Amino acid sequence: MANIKSQKKRNRTNEKAHQRNKAVRSALKTAIKKADAAVAAGDRDAALAAARAAARALDKAASKGIIHPNQAANRKSGIMIRVNGMDA
């Protein structure tokens, strides 16, 4: 345990950020799973809507530094490939 006042505050701040980042990452996984579930169900409109929501969440997480922008781009690309690969 830290003895220095500034380090105690830093530990509290880091824990808050950790919890916030963890929640955002969990929400990202859920959004991606929803898109994949819609693709698996064969519902093109729902899949497209879920993919757009997931892309928005990925962009937001990348802009806040929770994930790397390139990782967000790669994940969005993968989702859209799966959605566009559905038979029309």
Side-chain angles (χ1 to χ4, degrees):
M1 184 66 196
N3 291 325
I4 298 164
K5 187 176 181 182
S6 61
Q7 187 57 46
K8 288 179 184 178
K9 180 179 178 182
R10 195 68 207 146
N11 289 342
R12 286 193 309 269
T13 308
N14 286 341
E15 184 59 27
K16 284 180 190 173
H18 173 69
Q19 293 300 325
R20 188 167 40 246
N21 292 344
K22 195 162 76 166
V24 171
R25 275 194 295 268
S26 176
L28 276 179
K29 289 179 187 178
T30 302
I32 292 168
K33 283 180 188 176
K34 282 182 182 178
D36 286 339
V39 168
D43 188 354
R44 186 167 178 76
D45 292 334
L48 200 54
R52 285 193 181 125
R56 182 173 162 81
L58 284 162
D59 283 337
K60 206 173 253 192
S63 72
K64 294 189 184 306
I66 294 169
I67 62 171
H68 194 278
N70 289 355
Q71 186 187 42
N74 289 337
R75 287 186 181 191
K76 286 192 312 187
S77 172
I79 292 168
M80 292 312 296
I81 285 171
R82 291 193 291 276
V83 170
N84 290 333
M86 296 174 67
D87 47 355

